Amino acid sequence: MSLAALLVLADGRFPAGGHAHSGGAEAACKAGRIHDAASLAQFCRGRLHTAGLTAAALAASAALGLDPAELDAAADARTPSPALRAAARRLGRQLLRAARATWPAAELDALAAAFPRGAHQPVVLGLAARAAGLGALD
């Protein structure tokens, strides 16, 4: 079951809105930092080793059962841009809606009640993974 759940969460077609978020690639293209396959690969590696690493740590911590409110506050502190914070919360709200329908769990319901405008997406991802029977390494 855990492999199937992992594949569902990673699938761009999972109705959580992540497929429509570029992670800053559009702005990087407009600024000329992404202009070919090599510069796109470099951009993706940079995101993976910076924001991606932070998001993975937050998600893994949520999957372990750490306090989602504290993790959300930590995500806020690590996201200096108000626009990026808003996007992370919007993506989190959309993911939470889909996760609650797919893997009903009291923890997901509690997160929705505590953050009606949305928790940060990595925190929601970790709790969704936990509800789906996945662990921090997944």
Side-chain angles (χ1 to χ4, degrees):
M1 175 62 176
S2 65
L3 177 59
L6 184 61
L7 291 173
V8 167
L9 278 171
D11 191 335
R13 294 170 295 183
F14 189 63
H19 67 281
H21 185 68
S22 73
E26 291 167 349
C29 286
K30 189 174 183 178
R33 291 190 304 272
I34 296 176
H35 47 81
D36 59 13
S39 58
L40 175 60
Q42 184 179 13
F43 174 84
C44 290
R45 275 192 301 278
R47 291 281 299 170
L48 180 63
H49 292 288
T50 57
L53 188 58
T54 301
L58 290 165
S61 297
L64 285 171
L66 275 68
D67 181 3
E70 288 184 21
L71 294 172
D72 192 77
D76 249 5
R78 287 162 177 79
T79 310
S81 163
L84 290 178
R85 282 195 303 272
R89 289 186 181 286
R90 186 173 49 256
L91 290 170
R93 186 175 59 248
Q94 292 169 213
L95 175 58
L96 186 56
R97 184 180 314 121
R100 289 174 74 196
T102 308
W103 301 285
E107 284 182 307
L108 296 176
D109 294 340
L111 187 66
F115 294 92
R117 300 192 68 165
H120 278 267
Q121 191 270 352
V123 177
V124 177
L125 180 61
L127 279 182
R130 184 177 169 87
L134 298 168
L137 290 177
D138 297 317

